[in-house]
Amino acid sequence: MSIKGIDVSSFQADRYDVSGLDFVFIKITEGDSYTNPKWVAQRQKARNAGLVTGFYHFARPGSYAVQADYFLSKIDLVDGDILALDWEDPGVTGEWKDAWIRRVQQKAPGHRVVLYCDRDFWMHRDTTSFAGDGLWIAEYNGHPGKPDIEHPWVFHQYTNQPVDMDLGNFKDKAELVTWC
């Protein structure tokens, strides 16, 4: 069984559809200077709907410590918030990815920290299989909830139509809340 969610960024409206959803991930930062101008309203929409809320940072080459601190400086965390690193830039190494996740885990104890990447990054760029508290894998293979990987996963982004759609590998929302 799986639960449903989406992820949003500045490309989506701050009044996105939450019907039938259990969770949402919201892009907050990218690199060491960009902040999604809609993230606060997007967070409020998710929280008003009672969704489990996650926040992500899009990694860019540069200091992992500066980017982790920048990301965390923007968030007013509440219990149950999930944090994620979006690893898509080929200029960001696996070692960088691991260091960012560890720093965020250290600076935000009590919050789950996960790795988002596509199957290519996971299978061909990653060398440590370190995904923090869980892997959020992107693969549009036409099989929601069945990414073509052997590693355990917690979230599967399976399409970007009409928005980035995700499944959580939990039997229900209550199990996700307990995991958080």
Side-chain angles (χ1 to χ4, degrees), residues 6 15-22 24 42 45-46 48-51:
I6 62 172
R15 298 188 189 282
Y16 52 93
D17 184 15
V18 296
S19 57
L21 300 180
D22 300 295
V24 64
Q42 290 169 331
K45 176 76 173 174
N48 286 348
L51 303 181

Side-chain angles (χ1 to χ4, degrees), residues 19-174:
S19 57
L21 300 180
D22 300 295
F23 65 91
V24 64
F25 280 95
I26 301 164
K27 179 180 181 176
I28 294 187
T29 55
E30 181 174 328
D32 60 10
S33 61
Y34 174 80
T35 302
N36 170 5
K38 298 178 183 176
W39 87 267
V40 172
Q42 290 169 331
R43 175 188 63 188
Q44 194 61 47
K45 176 76 173 174
R47 291 210 168 131
N48 286 348
L51 303 181
V52 172
T53 308
F55 303 103
Y56 70 93
H57 172 76
F58 191 101
R60 291 292 187 192
S63 168
Y64 76 86
V66 168
Q67 291 186 46
D69 293 351
Y70 179 67
F71 171 66
L72 290 172
S73 76
K74 300 297 179 185
I75 310 169
D76 183 17
L77 292 170
V78 300
D79 289 344
D81 285 346
I82 305 167
L83 305 173
L85 177 66
D86 183 341
W87 186 36
E88 297 182 57
D89 189 314
V92 174
T93 67
E95 293 78 15
W96 189 106
K97 172 258 305 175
D98 292 353
W100 188 97
I101 292 170
R102 286 190 176 95
R103 184 171 184 94
V104 171
Q105 286 176 320
Q106 174 198 14
K107 291 191 158 235
H111 292 275
R112 297 287 187 163
V113 182
V114 301
L115 171 67
Y116 168 93
C117 65
D118 68 15
R119 186 176 181 275
D120 178 62
F121 267 67
W122 186 250
M123 302 293 293
H124 302 113
R125 294 181 185 270
D126 185 72
T127 59
T128 64
S129 297
F130 180 66
D133 296 308
L135 179 61
W136 174 14
I137 191 75
E139 184 183 24
Y140 303 169
N141 62 359
H143 303 286
K146 295 179 183 176
D148 294 321
I149 60 170
E150 293 182 17
H151 190 87
W153 56 274
V154 289
F155 301 101
H156 176 205
Q157 183 184 86
Y158 62 92
T159 186
N160 60 359
Q161 298 299 320
V163 296
D164 290 344
M165 303 292 295
D166 302 283
L167 292 177
N169 198 10
F170 301 90
K171 69 178 179 179
D172 55 27
K173 183 178 170 186

